[in-house]
Amino acid sequence: MPADMTALAADLAAESAVTRALVAGLDEAGWHTPTPAAGWDIADQISHLAYFDEVTVQSALRPEQFKAELAEAEASGGINPDAIAVRFRDRSGSQLLDWFDTARAELLNTFKNLDPRARLPWFGPPMSAASSLTARIMETWAHTQDIADALGVTREPTDRLRHVAHIGVGARAFSYAVHGKSVPTAEIRVELTGPDGTAWTWGPAEADNGIAARRWDFCLLVTQRRHRNDLALGITGPAANEWMAIAQALRGRGGHRPGPAEIR
């Protein structure tokens, strides 16, 4: 059954409201609070979201233009999130918030009317419209975590985490590809529990490799917002252990704080 684009758009709108609530009351100094992503402040996190919202709309409405600009960028050395961030550092916090509001509204209005199965060009293989919108939920949640960490705010987990977790599970092959590794053939069972004890599951129950974790912890790991040593993960089997060591669902930079193994 095709994904419900109206429901996905509603979840992204709700996630966007969380982001907006964190930054709307900041003064100009607050916008420049450093975040866990090295070299990035809160303003950079918001400009990153707004910029890629516009790019996502371009991929849906003007795919040939998207592909031409992507080819030009790759010929010039590839997509560099840091270089993109620098381009918008002359904007004030209020200007960035207006941009985020406008870009996010256009994204939601565009995608809620698309066929969820429509194939859209992206950085790498094409994505379905449903996957593209789901990816925006994950990206928003991850970068909002950086903002929350910068401000010392604890967010409450919601059922929207299922989108993040689902991409995290589906990105297992991508995690290996990023590290130049082949994906083991072993199947892995993933069981993520929520505050009420209910579980979201992926993979066969009889699998010899498994991951049992709280939903929040798994999502923090696959979006690279925490080091695995700082999370409560129950890992069984070598294939599951290897995956959790390299798990990555985002193409861009992570904002996780270094764990003991990374401190030099």
Side-chain angles (χ1 to χ4, degrees):
M1 183 176 179
D4 185 337
M5 295 297 279
T6 300
L8 283 175
D11 280 350
L12 179 55
E15 206 62 49
S16 307
V18 175
T19 309
R20 197 183 194 287
L22 286 175
V23 302
L26 295 176
D27 59 18
E28 201 59 37
W31 277 89
H32 296 293
T33 304
T35 70
W40 279 27
D41 58 18
I42 290 174
D44 293 325
Q45 300 285 349
I46 295 299
S47 70
H48 179 87
L49 290 173
Y51 175 83
F52 280 99
D53 279 357
E54 290 186 342
V55 172
T56 302
V57 170
Q58 182 190 50
S59 76
L61 301 183
R62 300 177 296 279
E64 294 308 315
Q65 182 184 17
F66 171 89
K67 288 187 282 189
E69 292 184 7
L70 175 59
E72 182 179 347
E74 290 177 338
S76 301
I79 304 299
N80 184 334
D82 290 326
I84 293 171
V86 169
R87 288 162 50 185
F88 306 108
R89 285 180 178 158
D90 61 342
R91 300 193 184 188
S92 67
S94 62
Q95 288 174 322
L96 290 171
L97 185 56
D98 287 344
W99 183 23
F100 175 70
D101 287 343
T102 301
R104 185 53 55 96
E106 183 180 13
L107 175 75
L108 292 170
N109 289 333
T110 298
F111 272 75
K112 70 183 181 182
N113 297 314
L114 292 182
D115 180 344
R117 296 160 296 192
R119 305 299 293 178
L120 309 179
W122 197 238
F123 305 95
M127 298 173 67
S128 71
S131 293
S132 185
L133 197 54
T134 304
R136 297 312 297 154
I137 296 173
M138 177 185 68
E139 182 101 358
T140 301
W141 183 85
H143 288 283
T144 303
Q145 184 61 45
D146 290 342
I147 296 169
D149 285 341
L151 297 174
V153 173
T154 299
R155 294 188 294 165
E156 292 297 323
T158 72
D159 283 347
R160 296 190 298 275
L161 278 176
R162 189 177 185 95
H163 301 299
V164 182
H166 186 71
I167 291 182
V169 172
R172 181 186 172 204
F174 171 70
S175 301
Y176 278 85
V178 168
H179 290 84
K181 296 174 176 283
S182 299
V183 185
T185 57
E187 293 187 295
I188 298 178
R189 172 76 167 183
V190 178
E191 297 185 359
L192 306 180
T193 55
D196 61 356
T198 59
W200 297 335
T201 63
W202 293 263
E206 66 275 11
D208 293 330
N209 289 266
I211 298 159
R214 295 178 300 181
R215 299 168 185 174
W216 187 264
D217 284 4
F218 182 81
C219 291
L220 288 171
L221 179 67
V222 298
T223 57
Q224 298 181 297
R225 264 55 198 174
R226 293 292 188 277
H227 190 278
R228 64 180 291 188
N229 292 356
D230 299 323
L231 300 170
L233 302 172
I235 303 173
T236 304
N241 187 67
E242 182 181 24
W243 176 29
M244 288 295 93
I246 61 173
Q248 178 176 342
L250 288 169
R251 289 186 177 276
R253 53 188 297 161
H256 78 272
R257 298 188 177 112
E262 294 180 300
I263 297 175
R264 298 290 184 264

PDB file of all heavy atoms in Angstrom, residues 78-98:
ATOM      1  N   GLY A  78      32.345  18.335  -5.428  1.00  0.00           N
ATOM      2  CA  GLY A  78      31.313  17.688  -4.629  1.00  0.00           C
ATOM      3  C   GLY A  78      30.555  18.639  -3.718  1.00  0.00           C
ATOM      4  O   GLY A  78      30.857  19.829  -3.635  1.00  0.00           O
ATOM      5  N   ILE A  79      29.552  18.093  -3.037  1.00  0.00           N
ATOM      6  CA  ILE A  79      28.716  18.871  -2.126  1.00  0.00           C
ATOM      7  C   ILE A  79      29.435  19.009  -0.793  1.00  0.00           C
ATOM      8  O   ILE A  79      29.793  18.012  -0.162  1.00  0.00           O
ATOM      9  CB  ILE A  79      27.351  18.184  -1.916  1.00  0.00           C
ATOM     10  CG1 ILE A  79      26.654  17.949  -3.261  1.00  0.00           C
ATOM     11  CG2 ILE A  79      26.473  19.025  -0.992  1.00  0.00           C
ATOM     12  CD1 ILE A  79      26.363  19.201  -4.034  1.00  0.00           C
ATOM     13  N   ASN A  80      29.645  20.241  -0.360  1.00  0.00           N
ATOM     14  CA  ASN A  80      30.353  20.499   0.887  1.00  0.00           C
ATOM     15  C   ASN A  80      29.433  21.273   1.830  1.00  0.00           C
ATOM     16  O   ASN A  80      29.223  22.474   1.642  1.00  0.00           O
ATOM     17  CB  ASN A  80      31.624  21.307   0.605  1.00  0.00           C
ATOM     18  CG  ASN A  80      32.463  21.525   1.854  1.00  0.00           C
ATOM     19  OD1 ASN A  80      31.958  21.519   2.971  1.00  0.00           O
ATOM     20  ND2 ASN A  80      33.759  21.729   1.662  1.00  0.00           N
ATOM     21  N   PRO A  81      28.853  20.601   2.847  1.00  0.00           N
ATOM     22  CA  PRO A  81      27.937  21.294   3.758  1.00  0.00           C
ATOM     23  C   PRO A  81      28.571  22.497   4.454  1.00  0.00           C
ATOM     24  O   PRO A  81      27.891  23.489   4.709  1.00  0.00           O
ATOM     25  CB  PRO A  81      27.560  20.209   4.773  1.00  0.00           C
ATOM     26  CG  PRO A  81      27.740  18.919   4.023  1.00  0.00           C
ATOM     27  CD  PRO A  81      28.935  19.155   3.145  1.00  0.00           C
ATOM     28  N   ASP A  82      29.865  22.425   4.744  1.00  0.00           N
ATOM     29  CA  ASP A  82      30.524  23.553   5.394  1.00  0.00           C
ATOM     30  C   ASP A  82      30.567  24.773   4.473  1.00  0.00           C
ATOM     31  O   ASP A  82      30.327  25.903   4.904  1.00  0.00           O
ATOM     32  CB  ASP A  82      31.940  23.175   5.815  1.00  0.00           C
ATOM     33  CG  ASP A  82      31.960  22.175   6.956  1.00  0.00           C
ATOM     34  OD1 ASP A  82      31.066  22.247   7.818  1.00  0.00           O
ATOM     35  OD2 ASP A  82      32.852  21.313   6.993  1.00  0.00           O
ATOM     36  N   ALA A  83      30.878  24.527   3.204  1.00  0.00           N
ATOM     37  CA  ALA A  83      30.922  25.635   2.244  1.00  0.00           C
ATOM     38  C   ALA A  83      29.546  26.238   2.042  1.00  0.00           C
ATOM     39  O   ALA A  83      29.397  27.462   1.880  1.00  0.00           O
ATOM     40  CB  ALA A  83      31.491  25.146   0.910  1.00  0.00           C
ATOM     41  N   ILE A  84      28.514  25.383   2.056  1.00  0.00           N
ATOM     42  CA  ILE A  84      27.144  25.887   1.920  1.00  0.00           C
ATOM     43  C   ILE A  84      26.790  26.749   3.132  1.00  0.00           C
ATOM     44  O   ILE A  84      26.205  27.829   3.002  1.00  0.00           O
ATOM     45  CB  ILE A  84      26.154  24.716   1.767  1.00  0.00           C
ATOM     46  CG1 ILE A  84      26.388  24.002   0.426  1.00  0.00           C
ATOM     47  CG2 ILE A  84      24.707  25.210   1.873  1.00  0.00           C
ATOM     48  CD1 ILE A  84      25.624  22.710   0.279  1.00  0.00           C
ATOM     49  N   ALA A  85      27.172  26.308   4.318  1.00  0.00           N
ATOM     50  CA  ALA A  85      26.867  27.063   5.528  1.00  0.00           C
ATOM     51  C   ALA A  85      27.483  28.460   5.491  1.00  0.00           C
ATOM     52  O   ALA A  85      26.841  29.452   5.885  1.00  0.00           O
ATOM     53  CB  ALA A  85      27.352  26.299   6.757  1.00  0.00           C
ATOM     54  N   VAL A  86      28.712  28.545   4.995  1.00  0.00           N
ATOM     55  CA  VAL A  86      29.413  29.831   4.944  1.00  0.00           C
ATOM     56  C   VAL A  86      28.642  30.848   4.099  1.00  0.00           C
ATOM     57  O   VAL A  86      28.625  32.049   4.402  1.00  0.00           O
ATOM     58  CB  VAL A  86      30.840  29.637   4.388  1.00  0.00           C
ATOM     59  CG1 VAL A  86      31.489  30.973   4.062  1.00  0.00           C
ATOM     60  CG2 VAL A  86      31.695  28.862   5.386  1.00  0.00           C
ATOM     61  N   ARG A  87      27.965  30.375   3.064  1.00  0.00           N
ATOM     62  CA  ARG A  87      27.266  31.270   2.141  1.00  0.00           C
ATOM     63  C   ARG A  87      26.164  32.073   2.811  1.00  0.00           C
ATOM     64  O   ARG A  87      25.770  33.140   2.318  1.00  0.00           O
ATOM     65  CB  ARG A  87      26.686  30.454   0.983  1.00  0.00           C
ATOM     66  CG  ARG A  87      27.735  29.935   0.022  1.00  0.00           C
ATOM     67  CD  ARG A  87      27.216  28.803  -0.842  1.00  0.00           C
ATOM     68  NE  ARG A  87      25.950  29.088  -1.496  1.00  0.00           N
ATOM     69  CZ  ARG A  87      25.277  28.189  -2.225  1.00  0.00           C
ATOM     70  NH1 ARG A  87      25.773  26.966  -2.378  1.00  0.00           N
ATOM     71  NH2 ARG A  87      24.137  28.518  -2.794  1.00  0.00           N
ATOM     72  N   PHE A  88      25.642  31.582   3.938  1.00  0.00           N
ATOM     73  CA  PHE A  88      24.476  32.229   4.548  1.00  0.00           C
ATOM     74  C   PHE A  88      24.779  32.843   5.905  1.00  0.00           C
ATOM     75  O   PHE A  88      23.858  33.208   6.644  1.00  0.00           O
ATOM     76  CB  PHE A  88      23.337  31.213   4.650  1.00  0.00           C
ATOM     77  CG  PHE A  88      23.009  30.557   3.340  1.00  0.00           C
ATOM     78  CD1 PHE A  88      23.333  29.227   3.108  1.00  0.00           C
ATOM     79  CD2 PHE A  88      22.439  31.290   2.305  1.00  0.00           C
ATOM     80  CE1 PHE A  88      23.068  28.629   1.879  1.00  0.00           C
ATOM     81  CE2 PHE A  88      22.167  30.701   1.084  1.00  0.00           C
ATOM     82  CZ  PHE A  88      22.483  29.372   0.862  1.00  0.00           C
ATOM     83  N   ARG A  89      26.052  32.992   6.224  1.00  0.00           N
ATOM     84  CA  ARG A  89      26.408  33.513   7.544  1.00  0.00           C
ATOM     85  C   ARG A  89      26.260  35.020   7.669  1.00  0.00           C
ATOM     86  O   ARG A  89      26.468  35.566   8.741  1.00  0.00           O
ATOM     87  CB  ARG A  89      27.821  33.048   7.925  1.00  0.00           C
ATOM     88  CG  ARG A  89      27.832  31.578   8.316  1.00  0.00           C
ATOM     89  CD  ARG A  89      29.171  31.054   8.711  1.00  0.00           C
ATOM     90  NE  ARG A  89      29.056  29.646   9.122  1.00  0.00           N
ATOM     91  CZ  ARG A  89      30.059  28.780   9.134  1.00  0.00           C
ATOM     92  NH1 ARG A  89      31.276  29.174   8.761  1.00  0.00           N
ATOM     93  NH2 ARG A  89      29.864  27.540   9.525  1.00  0.00           N
ATOM     94  N   ASP A  90      25.887  35.679   6.587  1.00  0.00           N
ATOM     95  CA  ASP A  90      25.620  37.117   6.682  1.00  0.00           C
ATOM     96  C   ASP A  90      24.160  37.403   7.024  1.00  0.00           C
ATOM     97  O   ASP A  90      23.766  38.563   7.179  1.00  0.00           O
ATOM     98  CB  ASP A  90      25.989  37.812   5.372  1.00  0.00           C
ATOM     99  CG  ASP A  90      25.185  37.295   4.181  1.00  0.00           C
ATOM    100  OD1 ASP A  90      24.598  36.192   4.282  1.00  0.00           O
ATOM    101  OD2 ASP A  90      25.149  37.993   3.152  1.00  0.00           O
ATOM    102  N   ARG A  91      23.348  36.361   7.173  1.00  0.00           N
ATOM    103  CA  ARG A  91      21.935  36.559   7.477  1.00  0.00           C
ATOM    104  C   ARG A  91      21.707  36.583   8.979  1.00  0.00           C
ATOM    105  O   ARG A  91      22.342  35.850   9.739  1.00  0.00           O
ATOM    106  CB  ARG A  91      21.083  35.437   6.847  1.00  0.00           C
ATOM    107  CG  ARG A  91      21.195  35.369   5.338  1.00  0.00           C
ATOM    108  CD  ARG A  91      20.121  34.497   4.732  1.00  0.00           C
ATOM    109  NE  ARG A  91      20.290  34.345   3.289  1.00  0.00           N
ATOM    110  CZ  ARG A  91      19.405  33.766   2.485  1.00  0.00           C
ATOM    111  NH1 ARG A  91      18.268  33.301   2.976  1.00  0.00           N
ATOM    112  NH2 ARG A  91      19.644  33.668   1.187  1.00  0.00           N
ATOM    113  N   SER A  92      20.780  37.416   9.400  1.00  0.00           N
ATOM    114  CA  SER A  92      20.438  37.494  10.822  1.00  0.00           C
ATOM    115  C   SER A  92      19.579  36.297  11.217  1.00  0.00           C
ATOM    116  O   SER A  92      19.048  35.569  10.358  1.00  0.00           O
ATOM    117  CB  SER A  92      19.664  38.780  11.101  1.00  0.00           C
ATOM    118  OG  SER A  92      18.387  38.736  10.475  1.00  0.00           O
ATOM    119  N   GLY A  93      19.400  36.123  12.519  1.00  0.00           N
ATOM    120  CA  GLY A  93      18.560  35.036  12.991  1.00  0.00           C
ATOM    121  C   GLY A  93      17.127  35.158  12.477  1.00  0.00           C
ATOM    122  O   GLY A  93      16.522  34.159  12.067  1.00  0.00           O
ATOM    123  N   SER A  94      16.576  36.351  12.482  1.00  0.00           N
ATOM    124  CA  SER A  94      15.198  36.532  12.005  1.00  0.00           C
ATOM    125  C   SER A  94      15.083  36.233  10.515  1.00  0.00           C
ATOM    126  O   SER A  94      14.074  35.663  10.057  1.00  0.00           O
ATOM    127  CB  SER A  94      14.701  37.948  12.301  1.00  0.00           C
ATOM    128  OG  SER A  94      15.486  38.915  11.628  1.00  0.00           O
ATOM    129  N   GLN A  95      16.102  36.586   9.765  1.00  0.00           N
ATOM    130  CA  GLN A  95      16.090  36.280   8.327  1.00  0.00           C
ATOM    131  C   GLN A  95      16.155  34.772   8.095  1.00  0.00           C
ATOM    132  O   GLN A  95      15.465  34.238   7.211  1.00  0.00           O
ATOM    133  CB  GLN A  95      17.263  36.966   7.642  1.00  0.00           C
ATOM    134  CG  GLN A  95      17.127  38.471   7.513  1.00  0.00           C
ATOM    135  CD  GLN A  95      18.376  39.128   6.970  1.00  0.00           C
ATOM    136  OE1 GLN A  95      19.501  38.736   7.287  1.00  0.00           O
ATOM    137  NE2 GLN A  95      18.196  40.152   6.133  1.00  0.00           N
ATOM    138  N   LEU A  96      16.961  34.092   8.883  1.00  0.00           N
ATOM    139  CA  LEU A  96      17.066  32.641   8.745  1.00  0.00           C
ATOM    140  C   LEU A  96      15.755  31.953   9.132  1.00  0.00           C
ATOM    141  O   LEU A  96      15.332  30.994   8.482  1.00  0.00           O
ATOM    142  CB  LEU A  96      18.213  32.108   9.600  1.00  0.00           C
ATOM    143  CG  LEU A  96      19.619  32.469   9.123  1.00  0.00           C
ATOM    144  CD1 LEU A  96      20.649  32.068  10.161  1.00  0.00           C
ATOM    145  CD2 LEU A  96      19.926  31.808   7.781  1.00  0.00           C
ATOM    146  N   LEU A  97      15.113  32.444  10.172  1.00  0.00           N
ATOM    147  CA  LEU A  97      13.841  31.845  10.591  1.00  0.00           C
ATOM    148  C   LEU A  97      12.772  32.069   9.523  1.00  0.00           C
ATOM    149  O   LEU A  97      11.995  31.151   9.215  1.00  0.00           O
ATOM    150  CB  LEU A  97      13.395  32.428  11.926  1.00  0.00           C
ATOM    151  CG  LEU A  97      12.135  31.807  12.539  1.00  0.00           C
ATOM    152  CD1 LEU A  97      12.290  30.303  12.713  1.00  0.00           C
ATOM    153  CD2 LEU A  97      11.803  32.473  13.874  1.00  0.00           C
ATOM    154  N   ASP A  98      12.731  33.253   8.934  1.00  0.00           N
ATOM    155  CA  ASP A  98      11.790  33.509   7.840  1.00  0.00           C
ATOM    156  C   ASP A  98      12.057  32.574   6.667  1.00  0.00           C
ATOM    157  O   ASP A  98      11.119  32.061   6.043  1.00  0.00           O
ATOM    158  CB  ASP A  98      11.894  34.963   7.371  1.00  0.00           C
ATOM    159  CG  ASP A  98      11.283  35.948   8.353  1.00  0.00           C
ATOM    160  OD1 ASP A  98      10.527  35.512   9.242  1.00  0.00           O
ATOM    161  OD2 ASP A  98      11.567  37.160   8.229  1.00  0.00           O
TER     162      ASP A  98
END
